[in-house]
Structure formats: C-alpha cells, structure tokens
Amino acid sequence: MEKLIITAAICGAEVTKAQNSAVPYTLDEMVREAKSSYDAGAAVIHVHVRWDDGTPTQDRERFRTVMEEIRAVCPGVVLIPSTGGAVGMTAEERLQPTELFPEMATLDCGTCNFGDDVFQNDIPTIRAFGKRMLQNHIKPEYECFEMGHLDTVLTLAGRGELPSAPMQFNFVLGVPGCMSATVGNLSWMVGAIPDGSTWTATGIGRYAFPIAAAAISMGGNVRVGFEDNLYLARGVPARSNGELVKKAADLAALVGRPVAGPMEAREILGLS
Ligand code: KMH
Ligand code: ZN
C-alpha cells in the first residue's frame, strides 16, 4: 500500500465558534490550525476562508493572504482551496480562488441536499468549473457526495469537458440528505473509479473516524478536520485540528500504514 495522505479541512464554511471555540476565522487562527495539522502529519490542507467575524467568503485576496501565510509556516504543504464555498454563493463568487492558479482546487460534482439547504452544482456549473481548471492548469479534487456525482464526473471527463487521468476523488459521506457513511457505500464508489486514480474518504460528524479507519485499511487517503467533525471522541470536543489529524495518524500507525509527507503526497497525487 502507498503511504497515507492526510488532508486537514481546518475551517469549512458552516461550523462556528459557538460550536467549538477553536474553529478558525482570522488569519492568525487559520495559520495556527494549519500548523497544528501539518505538525501532526497533514500533508494537504483544504482551505475555506472567513472574514474575521466568521462570515464565509470566497474573496480572492483573502484566499491569497491565508494561503501565503500557511505556506510560510508549513513548507511544501499542498493547499486545496474550495470552489464549493458556502451554500447559496454564485458560481463566479466560488471560482475566485482559481484566479490564484493553485495546484489543486475542489470541484463539486453534483447538486444535492445539504442539511436543510440545497448545494447547487448543475451540469453547466460543473462544466464551467472544469473549463476554468483546464485553462488554469489546476488539478481538481472531485468531491462526490453521492454515487450519481461520480457517474456524472466520469461521463463529463470522458467527453474531455473535465480534467481527466489521473483523477483525485474525495468521497464525502454522511452529509445529512446525501449518501450515508457506510463502508459498503465507500467501497461501491471506490470500485467505480478509473485505474490509476487516487481517492480520499471523508466521514461527517461521528462517522469521521470509522470512515477514516476503513479508508486507511483499503489503501485510500483520509480527510479529517473541523469542516467535517468537531469531536475527538463522543462528548470530547477537539481542541485543535491537529488533534484530529493526530488521531488519524495514530489509526494509521495501528494498522502499520506510514503517513506521507508533503513531497510524498505530491508524488502520489501526480503534482511533482
Ligand atoms: N461548504 C459546502 C457547501 C467544497 O469545499 O468544495 C461545500 C464544500 C465543498 O465545502
Ligand atoms: Zn470544503
């Protein structure tokens, strides 16, 4: 098995300090959470940004500042800015971080329920995001919340409308209203990806570590962090993203799977 890439999703767009006071909003807080994750073994940071009051934004300059400061304290780290943003944002708003020519960015692969809201990603939107990523030489991380999302993206990539091989997928399971976080669902999706692809699994809420343990054993990669889950264990809030990353790294150590550093992650993801 290849080394394990751990991604830390340190902030997200939905969680708040009212839920866990360590959720980062300001530049200093973002850098603190990125560094704690990196020091605990995260080679990749999935980046959302907020204004200082916690309001989610896709502002290009906010992304620039946050990503520059994270890179300064986490040498070699792979940054994957979000083009998902927050529910209700326009496509143009969401695409702003692609103007910074990051190595990678998320690309959400279909419309779905998202709790009580609807996360809009119709096919023209997916196509437009794919076109932008092709133009700007950005490798997408294809975010699939449902099996139909995977089918959609494989069809569009097969027509040349999205960047194709080698593809990187993130299977996000357990969002309320979307596909549930079971090992059966995860292996169904993994079984459908093209040879030579890489994949990451993300379990939401209390499914974060059961899904991480499955992905580690299956040879995939893992995402943890406040965007997805605020607890280290039932009733125990995590004090930092680093604590969540450390728990994923500890699980990997228990099953004997070494964790990839940033340069190794780049190689596995085909970025180097
Ligand atoms: N905040 C969610 C609505 C992504 O980063 O691409 C979407 C999301 C996905 O977080
Ligand atoms: Zn995200």
Side-chain angles (χ1 to χ4, degrees), residues 117-247:
D117 298 313
V118 176
F119 184 31
Q120 294 280 1
N121 295 287
D122 57 23
I123 289 180
T125 301
I126 298 170
R127 206 178 265 133
F129 281 40
K131 187 172 173 195
R132 173 69 61 87
M133 294 199 198
L134 282 165
Q135 282 168 342
N136 288 12
H137 305 290
I138 298 167
K139 178 174 175 129
E141 178 172 78
Y142 291 108
E143 306 266 322
C144 299
F145 299 77
E146 298 279 357
M147 189 53 154
H149 294 181
L150 178 55
D151 289 336
T152 303
V153 78
L154 293 179
T155 302
L156 294 175
R159 291 187 195 141
E161 295 185 291
L162 297 176
S164 58
M167 298 169 90
Q168 156 64 11
F169 300 92
N170 179 22
F171 302 124
V172 183
L173 301 180
V175 170
C178 295
M179 202 161 156
S180 54
T182 66
V183 176
N185 283 342
L186 178 60
S187 49
W188 185 35
M189 295 180 95
V190 171
I193 62 178
D195 287 346
S197 305
T198 51
W199 62 274
T200 299
T202 302
I204 300 298
R206 65 182 182 277
Y207 300 104
F209 291 107
I211 287 294
I216 290 166
S217 301
M218 290 163 68
N221 301 300
V222 165
R223 183 175 105 176
V224 292
F226 286 155
E227 176 165 350
D228 309 313
N229 162 51
L230 298 163
Y231 293 89
L232 202 51
R234 193 184 172 118
V236 184
R239 285 170 302 184
S240 68
N241 278 277
E243 285 193 339
L244 298 169
V245 172
K246 181 179 181 307
K247 183 164 172 175

Side-chain angles (χ1 to χ4, degrees), residues 42-57:
V44 178
I45 311 277
H46 170 52
V47 184
H48 284 254
V49 294
R50 312 283 188 97
W51 296 121
D52 285 354
D53 67 0
T55 308
T57 175

Side-chain angles (χ1 to χ4, degrees), residues 89-106:
M89 289 178 171
T90 65
E92 273 317 304
E93 212 174 346
R94 286 167 51 182
L95 277 169
Q96 289 179 75
T98 64
E99 295 165 11
L100 301 172
F101 298 89
E103 295 167 278
M104 293 186 73
T106 60

